[in-house]
Amino acid sequence: MAFDQHAALPDELKHALSRDFFIRFTTVGRRTGAPRTTETTFVWKAQSTGPNRIYVSGYPGKRDYVANALANPTVTIHTVEHGVYYDIPAVARVINDRNDRTGPLLAFLNRWANRPEAEQRVFGWLVGAININRRLHLPWWGPFYLARRIMDRMPCVELNFTGPAIRRLNPPPPSTSDH
C-alpha cells in the first residue's frame, strides 16, 4: 500500500504547518556523516492530491544544508513552535533552474514579508511589485534586475514528505548550524 501523504497528516500538524514560521530539518553532513540540524523559515505547499512539500530558503549565499542535501537527499523535518512537535521523513531536491525557483522563492518572500510580528511595509511593497512583474511576464529590468540577482543567490530546497509524521513528546533536536 502506497503512502497517502495528504491523509496521513494529522489536523494538529496541518494547523502547525499553516501558522508556524520556523521549522528545523536534519540532513547528514556530507563530510562527517553526522546529523546536521538547521532552523529556517519555510513555505508549506499543502496538496489535496500528490505530495506535500515544504520549501526552505534564506539569505543569499552558499549554505551547508544545500550541499548536504545534494550529497544525501534524505532529511527529517521537525516542527518547533507552539509545543507541537512532529518529525516528518522527507527527501530534499535542490532547485537550481530560475523558472522552477521563482514561484517557491516568491511564496517564501511573501510569507516572510507578511509575518505578523514584523512591520515590513517597504519589503512587502517590493515583493508585491515583483509578483506583479512576474504575473505580467515582464522582463527583469531596472530594480527587478537587482531583485532577480538576489533571488538567483538565494537557496531553494524542496522537501517532499515521504512517510507518516511522528508525534514527538519532547522538543526536536537543537539547531547545529547557522548556515
Side-chain angles (χ1 to χ4, degrees), residues 103-125:
L105 287 177
L106 284 174
F108 176 86
L109 291 171
N110 280 322
R111 188 156 192 262
W112 192 84
N114 294 315
R115 68 188 195 276
E117 66 276 0
E119 195 167 328
Q120 299 287 331
R121 288 187 186 143
V122 173
F123 185 74
W125 179 86

Side-chain angles (χ1 to χ4, degrees), residues 1-17:
M1 183 171 169
F3 168 65
D4 179 2
Q5 296 175 9
H6 190 69
L9 295 181
D11 288 338
E12 178 184 50
L13 176 57
K14 290 177 189 176
H15 183 68
L17 291 173

Side-chain angles (χ1 to χ4, degrees), residues 125-139:
W125 179 86
L126 177 62
V127 172
I130 294 169
N131 282 322
I132 291 169
N133 179 278
R134 294 295 80 213
R135 280 191 212 115
L136 295 174
H137 303 287
L138 297 173

Side-chain angles (χ1 to χ4, degrees), residues 64-179:
D64 288 340
Y65 70 82
V66 173
N68 291 343
L70 284 169
N72 182 348
T74 303
V75 302
T76 302
I77 299 166
H78 313 282
T79 57
V80 298
E81 295 184 83
H82 305 100
V84 177
Y85 306 124
Y86 279 91
D87 291 342
I88 308 162
V91 64
R93 180 175 75 96
V94 177
I95 305 173
N96 291 315
D97 180 76
R98 180 182 291 155
N99 293 328
D100 294 342
R101 299 164 48 85
T102 300
L105 287 177
L106 284 174
F108 176 86
L109 291 171
N110 280 322
R111 188 156 192 262
W112 192 84
N114 294 315
R115 68 188 195 276
E117 66 276 0
E119 195 167 328
Q120 299 287 331
R121 288 187 186 143
V122 173
F123 185 74
W125 179 86
L126 177 62
V127 172
I130 294 169
N131 282 322
I132 291 169
N133 179 278
R134 294 295 80 213
R135 280 191 212 115
L136 295 174
H137 303 287
L138 297 173
W140 289 94
W141 52 268
F144 299 110
Y145 177 76
L146 178 59
R148 186 193 78 194
R149 294 282 310 247
I150 292 169
M151 288 173 58
D152 283 349
R153 294 201 24 86
M154 290 175 67
C156 186
V157 180
E158 177 183 82
L159 305 177
N160 289 293
F161 299 7
T162 60
I166 300 166
R167 180 75 154 96
R168 292 179 70 100
L169 298 177
N170 300 315
S175 180
T176 56
S177 68
D178 337 323
H179 304 280

